[in-house]
Amino acid sequence: MTSTDIFAALRARAIAALRDLLPELPEDAFAKVQMEPPRDPSHGDMATNAALVVAKPARQPPPKLAAALAERLAALPEVESAAPAGPGFVNLRLREGFLRAQLPVILEAAEAYGDSAIGAGRRADVEYVSANPTGPMHVGHCRGAVVGDALANLLDKAGWAVTKEYYINDAGAQVQALAWAAYWRYLQALGTMLTEEEYAANIPGGLQYRGEYLIPVGEALKSRYGDALAPGALPADPALWLDTVRPFTVEAMMAEIRQDLAALGVRHDVFVSEAELVRAGVADRAIATLAERGLVYEGVLEPPKGKTPDDWEPRPQTLFASTRFGDDVDRPLRKSDGSNTYFANDIGNHGDKLARGFDELVHVWGADHGGYIKRMQAAVSALSADRPVPLDVVLTQIVKVMKGGEPVRMSKRAGTYVTLADLIEEVGRDAVRFTMLTRKADAQMEFDLDKVVEQSRENPVFYVQYAHARCRSVLRSAGDPSDLAEAPLDSLADPAELALIRRLTAWPRTVESAALAREPHRIAFFLHDLAGDFHVLWNRGREDTTLRFIRGDEPEATRARLALVAATATVIRSGLRVMGVTPVEEMR
RNA sequence: GUCUCCGUAGCUCAGCAGGAUAGAGCACCAGAUUCCUAAUCUGGGGGCCGUGGGUUCGAAUCCCGCCGGGGACACCA
């Protein structure tokens, strides 16, 4: 594969030179060689630790190796100069011509610039959102949705074959409670004489979902079934209606969730239903597999340390020996009523993923599920013992929604939480998505409704969009020339122009490192920096008219700069695409 | 009590799988607009990277202890 990543290219050059200098050295001695931008730009365009890394196995002092390596590298056509530095680094300064030559590379690749092959086509299943189908999505789900979607896009760009998956938790007690709540709205639609409290007193677990969003579901049940499920508008035996109302309600909730996701621009490839998996016996099969491997037993757990639940009692349970795979305690597979625990069903879910042939599993969960990671990884290890498949979990922290400097109170019970639909309506899809990616997923985040719509430098969404719009504005006023990849580029020599080119060439390695770290927020930071470089250049043109992009008196220089602008726009678009944000043509 | 994440400028946060003199934005101070959008930009001050050890050529980064904070801890999902 021909990489467009010049850092990878020069790293290969450095390794080749070292191999030549030290033919005795085993190949794995070069594994830790890095070629990266130095912190201090005055050190040059790239720096490598190659001499430091190789010094020990080569039994030579690093400075001596660095000097020899520098001499070799200095002879390369891409390299202007190379010098040993510090304890054994080699700093490289690239020829400006080589840097400029990256612009046609970018323009020809277009948005494919930065695509990588490190994923090597491995099949990755990215499961995200997976909100319980018990109500509309709120901002908490939203972060997971955006992070997951961007991560999936990122992995795709970096060479994985990605499936975007949603796991519907439609088999547990909460869905049961949802059905009871929907049934209440149904009774209301039929004109029941009961009060809410009277109804709530007689249902298992109480009336848990009181939000108004179930009212339409009650109406829909009425128009579909009349009073057949509650003759005389009186509560009937659940055996008569529960298996009808539950799936009906789940379907209604999922329709709403799909709508919310669509509004966010999130589209999953696969929706997997927990209930269906259970019906298909997937969970039982997975547990049977574990049992065959001697990992399932009947046992009594210690009470949890710290705070013991009031109703705790020692009791034999069906347990999975997850401690053998690094978990803290073994985990129950069956509830006291004999049905599967959520964990047992999720083992089935993962068994199903493995059966579908994925090479890597990635999940995005809320941080409150952090305690669940070890047991799930244990289960996947146990199930994939013959062909290890890694399970990576990305946790997303809480989002605090702020308005006018005050936190917006959220309560699902009271039905006052901020729904995703509200949020999108208020600030727009692109702002929501971009902002959700301006923090590391695992860091708490304040989402300031006022700032996000503010059109100022403080707002990174705006800042990046504005840079793209400016690029487009320039290209439009130049008549959108199409043959910029052939433009002569020698006139691009101003430090600000070269700085922008250097930034652009860092895009491929940014994609790779972000994908490997599973950190899509790095894309947002990169774009912010890139936008900054562009704004700087733009402003130089204010002070120094010879630096303007379009110069009527200098057609060649104009073409060169248009090539630079077009490349910048391309990379911004490419990054925004990963984030799922629409690049704008103008800022009206 | 156990597990887990976190602690970097006054504030909000980056810091790229250990690298050279630790960065950005906001806030603060001083500047730039006959111009392709000043919705932007330039310059400046500001840090014991919570703390004590360890690993090594080299640590904000890796390991251990401590302090401080978030989250999770059978039969919820």
Side-chain angles (χ1 to χ4, degrees):
Chain A
M1 161 217 175
T2 57
S3 172
T4 52
D5 181 356
I6 61 175
F7 290 88
L10 268 297
R11 174 179 183 270
R13 296 283 212 172
I15 289 175
L18 276 179
R19 206 180 277 131
D20 205 35
L21 284 166
L22 305 162
E24 311 295 314
L25 231 49
E27 198 56 25
D28 60 5
F30 303 116
K32 288 174 75 180
V33 170
Q34 296 177 345
M35 182 68 77
E36 49 188 14
R39 249 190 216 150
D40 184 341
S42 73
H43 290 145
D45 298 316
M46 294 183 184
T48 180
N49 63 352
L52 286 163
V53 170
V54 163
K56 194 174 271 181
R59 298 169 167 282
Q60 292 197 37
K64 187 183 158 203
L65 267 177
L69 178 60
E71 196 177 322
R72 297 282 184 127
L73 292 177
L76 293 173
E78 300 92 331
V79 175
E80 175 73 35
S81 64
F89 292 99
V90 177
N91 293 332
L92 300 182
R93 193 166 295 283
L94 300 174
R95 285 189 197 277
E96 292 182 4
F98 176 61
L99 286 171
R100 287 191 284 261
Q102 300 312 305
L103 293 181
V105 172
I106 295 169
L107 293 172
E108 273 158 25
E111 285 179 42
Y113 179 66
D115 286 5
S116 162
I118 46 165
R122 284 193 296 279
R123 298 188 54 203
D125 184 57
V126 183
E127 184 184 304
Y128 58 104
V129 188
S130 302
N132 292 341
T134 53
M137 292 180 64
H138 56 72
V139 285
H141 301 123
C142 167
R143 188 171 191 187
V146 171
V147 168
D149 205 50
L151 178 56
N153 294 341
L154 177 60
L155 291 177
D156 178 73
K157 189 167 180 65
W160 275 267
V162 175
T163 297
K164 299 179 174 180
E165 190 156 318
Y166 188 119
Y167 181 58
I168 309 172
N169 301 142
D170 54 1
Q174 299 198 348
V175 170
Q176 210 76 343
L178 176 75
W180 282 95
Y183 192 67
W184 166 243
R185 295 302 187 180
Y186 170 59
L187 289 173
Q188 282 186 310
L190 293 173
T192 184
M193 299 303 288
L194 284 177
T195 67
E196 189 170 295
E197 291 319 311
E198 285 167 340
Y199 177 75
N202 286 308
I203 63 178
L207 184 54
Q208 294 186 29
Y209 298 99
R210 300 183 185 223
E212 295 184 352
Y213 60 88
L214 286 174
I215 291 175
V217 177
E219 296 287 349
L221 281 165
K222 177 187 168 191
S223 61
R224 173 85 168 266
Y225 296 103
D227 73 347
L229 303 176
L234 290 170
D237 181 349
L240 180 71
W241 56 266
L242 196 52
D243 284 338
T244 305
V245 171
R246 192 195 323 99
F248 187 94
T249 309
V250 167
E251 196 37 62
M253 293 299 103
M254 282 310 297
E256 196 161 337
I257 289 173
R258 281 176 209 251
Q259 216 169 49
D260 286 344
L261 289 172
L264 238 200
V266 172
R267 243 197 66 240
H268 289 82
D269 300 312
V270 182
F271 285 80
V272 172
S273 154
E274 178 184 358
E276 273 175 37
L277 286 184
V278 171
R279 237 189 325 278
V282 166
D284 292 337
R285 266 205 301 286
I287 291 171
T289 304
L290 295 178
E292 280 164 27
R293 297 181 183 175
L295 298 169
V296 176
Y297 69 101
E298 297 291 319
V300 180
L301 289 175
E302 298 281 308
K305 298 280 196 298
K307 50 160 194 183
T308 304
D310 299 338
D311 57 346
W312 192 87
E313 54 185 38
R315 163 174 89 68
Q317 289 177 297
T318 306
L319 299 172
F320 163 51
S322 54
T323 45
R324 291 206 221 161
F325 300 88
D327 198 5
D328 307 312
V329 292
D330 292 340
R331 304 292 177 176
L333 298 172
R334 313 253 190 240
K335 302 185 205 172
S336 45
D337 67 359
S339 65
N340 285 349
T341 57
Y342 174 80
F343 178 51
N345 285 346
D346 211 8
I347 291 176
N349 175 29
H350 285 74
D352 184 58
K353 289 179 198 288
L354 294 172
R356 284 188 280 149
F358 290 111
D359 303 306
E360 296 180 22
L361 305 179
V362 180
H363 288 260
V364 178
W365 293 344
D368 55 340
H369 288 58
Y372 194 73
I373 296 177
K374 283 189 184 177
R375 79 190 67 170
M376 206 63 249
Q377 286 175 332
V380 172
S381 301
L383 288 173
S384 69
D386 40 343
R387 186 181 75 96
V389 171
L391 167 64
D392 275 349
V393 179
V394 175
L395 295 180
T396 59
Q397 264 291 358
I398 312 173
V399 178
K400 265 193 232 161
V401 180
M402 307 289 283
K403 188 166 176 77
E406 294 288 315
V408 179
R409 297 245 169 259
M410 292 211 277
S411 155
K412 196 165 188 175
R413 288 256 154 75
T416 61
Y417 59 77
V418 178
T419 65
L420 175 54
D422 292 342
L423 185 65
I424 292 174
E425 191 174 331
E426 182 144 354
V427 306
R429 182 189 111 177
D430 290 327
V432 169
R433 292 191 63 130
F434 198 107
T435 306
M436 288 292 172
L437 292 167
T438 54
R439 289 287 114 92
K440 205 164 26 174
D442 195 29
Q444 284 193 26
M445 142 173 213
E446 285 188 6
F447 193 106
D448 191 319
L449 292 173
D450 305 317
K451 284 242 170 69
V452 165
V453 291
E454 198 171 282
Q455 301 205 333
S456 79
R457 173 180 191 144
E458 280 186 59
N459 179 356
V461 188
F462 170 77
Y463 190 72
V464 171
Q465 289 281 30
Y466 188 35
H468 182 263
R470 277 182 156 174
C471 288
R472 291 295 309 136
S473 160
V474 170
L475 292 167
R476 268 196 308 275
S477 39
D480 271 318
S482 58
D483 55 348
L484 293 172
E486 282 90 52
L489 301 170
D490 287 349
S491 61
L492 296 176
D494 185 84
E497 291 172 330
L498 293 169
L500 181 54
I501 295 174
R502 288 187 180 96
R503 181 79 66 187
L504 293 170
T505 64
W507 174 233
R509 64 192 308 277
T510 301
V511 170
E512 287 192 357
S513 63
L516 286 172
R518 276 94 166 97
E519 292 187 348
H521 76 279
R522 290 189 196 179
I523 304 302
F525 281 90
F526 174 84
L527 291 182
H528 189 261
D529 290 343
L530 174 58
D533 290 334
F534 181 76
H535 287 310
V536 166
L537 187 55
W538 178 288
N539 261 65
R540 294 286 310 281
R542 292 180 185 289
E543 296 150 14
D544 179 352
T545 53
T546 65
L547 280 174
R548 295 191 180 184
F549 298 119
I550 299 174
R551 299 186 56 196
D553 54 331
E554 294 272 3
E556 285 230 335
T558 298
R559 290 238 298 153
R561 285 173 189 169
L562 290 176
L564 176 57
V565 171
T568 303
T570 297
V571 172
I572 293 177
R573 270 200 302 280
S574 174
L576 289 178
R577 183 181 297 280
V578 170
M579 298 173 72
V581 174
T582 323
V584 300
E585 292 287 309
E586 52 183 357
M587 297 305 295
R588 297 293 166 210

